[in-house]
Amino acid sequence: QVRLVESGGGLVQAGESLRLSCVASSHIFGFDRMAWYRQVPGKQRDLVADIPRYGSTNYADSVKGRFSVTRDVMKNTVYLQMNGLNLEDTGTYYCYGSVRQRDNWGQGTQVTVSS
């Protein structure tokens, strides 16, 4: 069974930064796709950043230029660096990984941005 565990969320003031971590129970290079999603109560879970096995990363328009997704293969960890946070970035952030058409989700980590 593949497990994904997020961490790094918290309360931050607008304009500041956070780095989220997603630790996988298996080699992250074995995933077909990994991504970060964000969800707020009453709304759909939306894609924030996507990192393929090869090629360029992909970001939601709302976070382009501010967020960056990276990985450390040796640590089986994917990161989401979030700079210049604003109030609309508030939400629960979920790590996602697909292995052989099987969806895997982390438990989520809360990010709250205050003014």
Side-chain angles (χ1 to χ4, degrees):
Q1 182 180 359
V2 176
R3 295 176 58 199
L4 302 172
V5 180
E6 306 98 330
S7 63
L11 176 64
V12 65
Q13 291 186 334
E16 296 183 342
S17 301
L18 282 175
R19 188 179 74 163
L20 306 183
S21 299
C22 172
V23 180
S25 62
S26 61
H27 202 296
I28 61 173
F29 214 65
F31 287 87
D32 301 313
R33 170 182 173 248
M34 299 195 75
W36 288 94
Y37 286 77
R38 180 173 64 207
Q39 187 171 29
V40 297
K43 294 192 175 183
Q44 184 178 349
R45 188 174 299 181
D46 294 324
L47 178 68
V48 174
D50 182 279
I51 183 167
R53 182 180 289 112
Y54 301 103
S56 301
T57 53
N58 181 58
Y59 299 93
D61 289 340
S62 62
V63 306
K64 286 181 179 178
R66 299 188 297 117
F67 289 13
S68 179
V69 59
T70 58
R71 61 188 165 209
D72 186 333
V73 174
M74 298 300 295
K75 295 181 179 179
N76 287 344
T77 302
V78 174
Y79 302 97
L80 182 66
Q81 179 67 44
M82 306 184 295
N83 299 323
L85 287 162
N86 56 56
L87 271 61
E88 294 185 348
D89 294 320
T90 292
T92 303
Y93 285 73
Y94 295 90
C95 183
Y96 169 87
S98 177
V99 182
R100 297 180 180 178
Q101 292 79 54
R102 299 175 184 174
D103 297 333
N104 301 276
W105 293 94
Q107 82 288 350
T109 185
Q110 178 67 33
V111 173
T112 302
V113 184
S114 66
S115 61

